[in-house]
Amino acid sequence: MATCPNGHPSGADDYCDVCGTQMSGGGVAASLTVQPPTQVAAAPAAGGEPCPVCQAPRAGQFCEVCGHDFNGPADAQGHPVLTSPGPGAPVSPPTRWEAIAGADRAYFNEIIAEGGPDAAAMAFPPYCPERSFAMSGQHVRIGRHRSSGGNDPEIDLSGPPQDPGVSHLHAVLLLRDDGGWDLVDPGSANGTRVNGKLLKLNVPVPVKPGDRIHVGAWTVITIRENMP
């Protein structure tokens, strides 16, 4: 009868009948200890560390799970500063600005009440449908095209109906670095108003969605910001 490494007599020569320890042919075999199953975090790749955001093992510069940049910036405590969203994160769509041109009867009445050499000859248009103009590029010109040629303004108010008080180059919208817009009157004949306030010549004024720009005798331009 064989004796197991733990001193138990056993009728079997492969595993002990008493404690189950593997038998050896006369030597000492290490006892087998069965551990309950546990969840163990995946070890990082050799020479690397787990992702500080999602704890996934590192396999390169960018985490394959959340997109974290292992070489990216960190704060004073060593926590990662995420500079871009990971996969699946919501992304804001780009903003689309547009200018809606139409006719404003109340503004026309104010202009006529102020008088002027041409006030008596002006008439409010009986029909003036709204027109939409995309605001794109570094600058958007407001005015009327010239019959003699040249580049037409991006917001062309030539009509019909044609507002006689609009200059060929009446005002210009300028794109700012932050994505917003400024409005400047380079020297129109009849002035430009934003929300009822007359602009000074060549002094840019910021405009925002909902602002109303009045030019000419009855034209109003409303700024809108839409999601594509």
Side-chain angles (χ1 to χ4, degrees):
M1 180 174 290
T3 301
C4 83
N6 292 327
H8 303 132
S10 174
D13 58 1
D14 49 357
Y15 292 95
C16 176
D17 291 338
V18 178
C19 66
T21 301
Q22 184 178 7
M23 306 288 287
S24 62
V28 176
S31 39
L32 298 177
T33 303
V34 179
Q35 297 289 345
T38 57
Q39 293 183 349
V40 180
E49 72 276 7
C51 174
V53 177
C54 67
Q55 302 304 313
R58 178 175 180 176
Q61 178 179 347
F62 298 96
C63 176
E64 295 183 354
V65 176
C66 70
H68 169 65
D69 185 357
F70 285 92
N71 297 335
D75 58 20
Q77 288 74 36
H79 299 145
V81 178
L82 298 180
T83 57
S84 61
V91 178
S92 298
T95 301
R96 182 171 66 90
W97 292 72
E98 63 177 342
I100 308 298
D104 187 343
R105 184 60 184 256
Y107 175 68
F108 173 78
N109 292 339
E110 292 178 7
I111 295 298
I112 296 302
E114 292 176 0
D118 300 324
M122 290 185 181
F124 187 77
Y127 176 68
C128 183
E130 288 188 343
R131 290 173 287 172
S132 175
F133 300 91
M135 295 169 55
S136 60
Q138 296 299 313
H139 63 272
V140 176
R141 297 165 297 174
I142 302 172
R144 294 186 292 116
H145 77 268
R146 298 178 182 272
S147 57
S148 58
N151 294 328
D152 290 342
E154 286 71 29
I155 300 179
D156 189 354
L157 302 174
S158 299
Q162 181 168 288
D163 188 333
V166 175
S167 302
H168 290 291
L169 179 58
H170 199 106
V172 182
L173 289 157
L174 303 172
L175 181 64
R176 299 196 303 266
D177 292 338
D178 63 2
W181 293 85
D182 289 335
L183 178 69
V184 61
D185 186 331
S188 66
N190 299 303
T192 303
R193 293 172 174 82
V194 176
N195 299 327
K197 185 177 181 180
L198 183 66
L199 299 187
K200 296 181 179 179
L201 298 184
N202 291 310
V203 178
V205 173
V207 292
K208 61 184 182 301
D211 282 349
R212 290 162 58 85
I213 303 169
H214 283 97
V215 296
W218 40 259
T219 299
V220 59
I221 299 171
T222 305
I223 303 300
R224 292 183 183 175
E225 185 181 24
N226 299 325
M227 294 297 180

